[in-house]
Amino acid sequence: MLCARRLSSLGAPAAALRLGRAGLGSLAAGLRARGVSTSWSPVGAAFNVKPQGRRLDLFGERRGLFGVPELHAPEGFRVAQENALRKTDELVARARSTPPGPQTVLIFDELSDALCRVADLADFVKIAHPEPAFREAAEEACRSIGTVVEKLNTDVELYQSLQKLLADEKLVDSLDPETRRVAELFMFDFEISGIHLDKEKRKRAVDLNVKILDLSSTFLMGANFPTKIEKHLLPEHIHQNFVLAGDHVIIDGLHAETPDDLVREAAYKVFLYPNAGQLRCLEELLSSRDLLAKLVGYSTYSHRALQGTIAKNPETVMEFLEKLSHKLSERTIKDFEMIRGMKMKLNPQNSELMPWDPPYYSGVIRAERYNIEPSLYCPFFSLGACMEGLNILFNKLFGISLYAEQPEKGEVWCEDVRKLAVVHESEGLLGYIYCDFFQRADKPYQDCHFTIRGGRLKEDGNYQLPVVVLMLNLPHSSRNLPTLLTPGMMENLFHEMGHAMHSMLGRTRYQHVTGTRCPTDFAEVPSILMEYFANDYRVVNQFARHYQTGQSMPKHMVSRLCESKKICAAADMQLQVFYATLDQIYHGKHPLRRSTTDILKETQEKFYGLPYVPNTAWQLRFSHLVGYGAKYYSYLMSRAVASMVWKECFLQDPFNRATGERYRREMLAHGGGREPMLMVQGSPRHMKGPNMDFSRPHLSSFYSDPTSHKAF
């Protein structure tokens, strides 16, 4: 019954989009026939201008967030929550009384949908809405629904209604593969929640799960909370680099790209200074997860968390990470030597390489060696151009177009949020993407994808269209200047849009396995694959146009950009190996043999190589420990899979429609409705040829050059 998981970049339009505004009229009859809106506008133009102000309407009705009528005000969350719980009671009663069969699985999925449609929406609103009252109401809804979910996962009568189905061999054999898998996934939810325990221990499991939810929320808030320090404790000449508040300086991040060594050092030491409350929260979170895992029959939390993933168990993950680290080691040492040389060149008085140095100095090396100053590239990457590039790519691969649609009053939480309709050339409207792309006060500084509503086949035969949010932190456009993206921002946009397409193109019967609701180490594959497209000249050439002159980006500029990504790529990946290893140790055998900070120091020196800085505690800012607990390795393993898919399928022709259709059919369409390895082995082109055994990660091509994804 688990609800959705959240997954922590103006050229000529494609043929189908040359219609522009006038052409939409000529398609009106066909669009109406498929129940599709005719009020759309071309996507590129929509993102290169400020949204038009809505007409003053003092008496008009507010639709509510995402078109949910109850959510026109914060109090609506309580109404939505009560409605969901009322429907939950009805569905639980139906599940208990219905004879075992396919209908049992449909009822379970409808039950999951009723809860997730409130919890998923609230999960986004609680961190992104600009109004505190909405955030607080959403937080309470999340906690309330989460508690109900955990109780249902230990409801014996509900469990027995599913067990009767799965215990009947003839009934199981009669189920189609997707229905059988979804039934088994629901059973798995029961098992990892402790359904086999006695009543007292089941209650203990529920209490632990609720406690973990609360601790996770507290830790996440603390991980992103700025640090305030008295002015006199920092050199006066660096004050202007930070936010000033009376007698204090507020430091809200690492300022990793700042040229001044002292600013980066101060930010690192202050932002990562240990906070006693946050440290207690982390220790209690890790301890509670371990207690829960042991209570329900697992030796560690990592063993519990990795059930059903590509990796399957922590032993495989550690083998993967250690082998990858070994392959990276020599190149990482060379990268650090190169970075150290650049620091010595620019700052000979203080040339010791420290953890706050690599992001800045590696950027200097790239800029110097390949002349890739962001100021040279940004004019070619207006947000509108990049969105049009995605439009062109999706149109060629899948026959899909993106159209901007004017939201109704009260539908969005900030006026600069854009709403996109995702439309297939023959299937019609596939779903909606809300683009919350721009910086604002109190908005979390993170790029991520949220499922708001999962797709599923409803009882009346209609398909419940998926709805998602993409959240970025891009600069606003100005009167004379559109939003211009750095190459890194463009790549992030493509990455997040990969998640969105996974959600849009999934056409599962059950919302429990829709889109990105699949094992975490597979969920990142479509998004990382999109980074490959973002770094291919044939793709970039379709949309990279100077926002003033319309000139295409010269091929040599794209080539230099791609070549520059090789610079320090090993050190960058080694840092990710360190993070993933730390995550595994924290969720491994308990009690931990040392403090979390001592473990950080030891792991950093072994798996990264740069010295630990005394009186810092980076782990207290490691927000991925919440959503990716024991699964941070997923980024690296998904990159290995994406690398294989790119080379086998799209390297020869990134626009091949037949390959795109097969990629959709074999991988994206299934969400979590098929075993990940079946999808990988059956993915486009010649995947059945090479021996791709991910159960023992001997990915020879990836290990031989793990950083090859950086250059095409």
Side-chain angles (χ1 to χ4, degrees):
M1 228 80 49
L2 299 178
C3 290
R5 295 180 297 274
R6 181 171 74 248
L7 293 178
S8 325
S9 339
L10 192 60
L17 298 177
R18 291 196 184 102
L19 300 159
R21 296 179 185 272
L24 285 171
S26 67
L27 282 184
L31 293 173
R32 280 195 294 270
R34 299 199 300 273
V36 173
S37 171
T38 57
S39 64
W40 294 320
S41 60
V43 68
F47 280 87
N48 265 0
V49 297
K50 285 184 176 294
Q52 296 179 352
R54 296 178 180 82
R55 291 174 300 184
L56 182 62
D57 186 357
L58 298 177
F59 306 104
E61 182 182 354
R62 290 176 65 87
R63 283 192 66 188
L65 292 173
F66 299 102
V68 178
E70 298 90 342
L71 299 184
H72 64 275
E75 298 75 26
F77 271 105
R78 181 170 294 280
V79 177
Q81 175 184 314
E82 289 171 353
N83 291 341
L85 295 180
R86 192 178 304 113
K87 187 172 183 180
T88 295
D89 290 340
E90 295 170 3
L91 290 166
V92 168
R94 276 178 58 193
R96 289 169 174 168
S97 61
T98 299
Q103 188 66 22
T104 304
V105 184
L106 288 171
I107 294 170
F108 267 72
D109 190 65
E110 192 175 353
L111 176 56
S112 176
D113 183 59
L115 293 166
C116 287
R117 287 180 66 169
V118 177
D120 291 345
L121 193 157
D123 192 43
F124 168 72
V125 172
K126 74 178 184 181
I127 71 162
H129 202 288
E131 296 180 28
F134 266 102
R135 294 199 301 267
E136 290 164 10
E139 176 75 49
E140 178 56 35
C142 279
R143 190 179 192 282
S144 177
I145 296 292
T147 301
V148 171
V149 168
E150 298 307 336
K151 288 180 178 177
L152 290 175
N153 281 342
T154 55
D155 185 308
V156 174
E157 286 186 65
L158 192 60
Y159 160 75
Q160 288 172 343
S161 68
L162 185 63
Q163 186 188 43
K164 289 174 186 174
L165 168 63
L166 291 174
D168 189 319
E169 193 171 325
K170 286 186 179 180
L171 276 177
V172 170
D173 289 342
S174 72
L175 301 177
D176 64 84
E178 184 181 9
T179 300
R180 179 172 179 170
R181 175 164 169 79
V182 171
E184 290 170 347
L185 288 173
F186 278 122
M187 179 59 72
F188 175 66
D189 290 342
F190 280 120
E191 291 169 349
I192 66 170
S193 298
I195 194 67
H196 54 285
L197 302 174
D198 61 39
K199 184 177 180 180
E200 185 179 334
K201 288 181 178 177
R202 288 200 307 274
K203 183 181 183 306
R204 172 67 174 149
V206 170
D207 292 343
L208 276 170
N209 268 309
V210 172
K211 182 179 181 181
I212 288 167
L213 286 173
D214 290 341
L215 289 167
S216 295
S217 180
T218 302
F219 182 80
L220 202 55
M221 188 180 300
N224 294 298
F225 200 78
T227 300
K228 184 186 289 188
I229 185 173
E230 294 179 11
K231 276 184 181 179
H232 70 87
L233 296 174
L234 294 179
E236 186 174 350
H237 71 277
I238 69 170
H239 287 179
Q240 71 273 12
N241 292 277
F242 308 109
V243 176
L244 302 180
D247 293 330
H248 290 82
V249 173
I250 297 174
I251 298 180
D252 59 0
L254 294 176
H255 293 253
E257 307 293 337
T258 303
D260 190 322
D261 285 3
L262 188 58
V263 171
R264 294 196 312 279
E265 179 180 354
Y268 189 95
K269 290 181 174 179
V270 173
F271 191 64
L272 299 184
Y273 189 81
N275 177 287
Q278 183 77 342
L279 184 59
R280 284 193 299 272
C281 181
L282 175 60
E283 290 171 346
E284 198 169 355
L285 174 62
L286 296 177
S287 174
S288 297
R289 284 175 168 174
D290 181 70
L291 287 172
L292 175 64
K294 288 188 170 75
L295 180 64
V296 300
Y298 294 91
S299 57
T300 70
Y301 181 80
S302 190
H303 282 89
R304 178 181 184 267
L306 296 180
Q307 292 292 302
T309 62
I310 293 177
K312 299 187 185 305
N313 57 63
E315 291 78 17
T316 298
V317 172
M318 285 307 301
E319 180 183 343
F320 172 74
L321 294 174
E322 287 170 357
K323 189 168 186 178
L324 183 54
S325 183
H326 176 71
K327 289 292 184 180
L328 287 168
S329 60
E330 288 187 13
R331 277 172 283 185
T332 300
I333 291 170
K334 290 179 181 177
D335 283 355
F336 284 151
E337 288 174 352
M338 182 166 52
I339 296 169
R340 188 176 289 108
M342 178 57 72
K343 183 174 184 180
M344 186 175 294
K345 175 182 174 182
L346 298 181
N347 188 3
Q349 291 81 22
N350 183 19
S351 59
E352 182 184 3
L353 192 61
M354 298 301 290
W356 53 80
D357 290 326
Y360 171 68
Y361 285 109
S362 60
V364 172
I365 296 168
R366 292 185 190 107
E368 182 181 273
R369 190 167 296 184
Y370 292 101
N371 190 25
I372 55 158
E373 284 292 334
S375 60
L376 299 176
Y377 282 83
C378 290
F380 292 92
F381 291 140
S382 71
L383 177 56
C386 294
M387 292 302 296
E388 196 59 64
L390 288 161
N391 205 3
I392 292 168
L393 180 63
F394 296 149
N395 190 265
K396 291 187 175 185
L397 287 177
F398 309 120
I400 282 173
S401 300
L402 307 175
Y403 292 101
E405 181 175 304
Q406 182 75 0
E408 297 291 335
K409 181 180 179 181
E411 186 179 349
V412 296
W413 49 101
C414 187
E415 67 174 9
D416 58 19
V417 174
R418 270 53 162 208
K419 180 184 180 182
L420 296 184
V422 181
V423 186
H424 190 271
E425 60 191 15
S426 61
E427 298 169 32
L429 183 63
L430 298 183
Y432 288 105
I433 303 170
Y434 289 83
C435 300
D436 187 356
F437 282 178
F438 301 103
Q439 298 167 348
R440 63 174 174 269
D442 297 326
K443 181 180 178 182
Y445 196 80
Q446 60 190 75
D447 298 342
C448 49
H449 161 279
F450 295 82
T451 297
I452 302 300
R453 184 178 71 201
R456 70 182 180 103
L457 186 63
K458 296 191 288 187
E459 283 187 293
D460 62 7
N462 292 318
Y463 199 79
Q464 176 173 292
L465 298 179
V467 176
V468 305
V469 174
L470 294 188
M471 189 167 75
L472 305 176
N473 276 273
L474 303 178
H476 284 272
S477 59
S478 64
R479 186 172 182 178
N480 301 312
L481 193 70
T483 293
L484 301 180
L485 278 59
T486 65
M489 290 175 181
M490 183 271 286
E491 188 175 283
N492 284 350
L493 172 61
F494 271 63
H495 176 103
E496 297 304 333
M497 194 59 80
H499 286 309
M501 282 301 109
H502 199 177
S503 293
M504 294 297 108
L505 293 174
R507 276 303 179 264
T508 54
R509 185 182 309 174
Y510 305 99
Q511 71 81 39
H512 193 66
V513 291
T514 185
T516 57
R517 292 181 187 174
C518 57
T520 310
D521 52 9
F522 181 75
E524 292 294 335
V525 172
S527 55
I528 291 174
L529 182 64
M530 283 297 294
E531 296 176 22
Y532 287 77
F533 287 98
N535 286 283
D536 187 281
Y537 175 71
R538 295 164 294 181
V539 176
V540 174
N541 187 50
Q542 294 286 315
F543 69 90
R545 302 283 188 275
H546 197 285
Y547 76 97
Q548 290 176 316
T549 66
Q551 174 196 355
S552 297
M553 181 181 287
K555 186 173 183 178
H556 69 85
M557 286 184 67
V558 180
S559 299
R560 288 203 311 263
L561 181 62
C562 292
E563 282 297 309
S564 74
K565 293 187 178 185
K566 294 179 181 178
I567 300 296
C568 303
D572 291 344
M573 188 172 282
Q574 189 71 59
L575 182 63
Q576 297 303 309
V577 172
F578 156 49
Y579 293 162
T581 304
L582 185 68
D583 174 43
Q584 286 299 307
I585 295 172
Y586 282 167
H587 291 101
K589 189 176 180 180
H590 275 243
L592 296 174
R593 51 191 173 76
R594 306 175 73 181
S595 72
T596 58
T597 302
D598 286 339
I599 292 170
L600 170 79
K601 178 178 183 294
E602 181 182 293
T603 309
Q604 179 173 327
E605 290 169 355
K606 180 179 179 181
F607 283 91
Y608 188 42
L610 294 188
Y612 163 77
V613 179
N615 295 315
T616 63
W618 178 85
Q619 77 275 20
L620 303 184
R621 299 290 186 178
F622 193 7
S623 58
H624 281 79
L625 288 174
V626 172
Y628 283 73
K631 297 179 182 178
Y632 191 83
Y633 77 92
S634 296
Y635 289 105
L636 292 166
M637 190 164 282
S638 290
R639 189 167 294 284
V641 178
S643 172
M644 180 187 72
V645 174
W646 172 260
K647 290 172 184 175
E648 292 288 334
C649 307
F650 296 108
L651 178 60
Q652 186 173 341
D653 179 3
F655 302 115
N656 187 282
R657 180 64 179 268
T659 305
E661 291 290 357
R662 192 174 175 200
Y663 172 55
R664 177 188 180 184
R665 186 172 64 251
E666 298 288 347
M667 295 183 76
L668 298 180
H670 297 287
R674 290 180 69 186
E675 285 281 351
M677 284 315 305
L678 292 178
M679 290 188 279
V680 172
Q681 291 162 356
S683 56
R685 212 174 158 220
H686 308 302
M687 292 253 167
K688 61 186 178 183
N691 177 21
M692 298 295 181
D693 180 5
F694 283 83
S695 63
R696 305 298 295 172
H698 54 269
L699 308 172
S700 56
S701 63
F702 182 70
Y703 286 136
S704 63
D705 188 5
T707 62
S708 63
H709 69 281
K710 292 292 186 182
F712 310 112

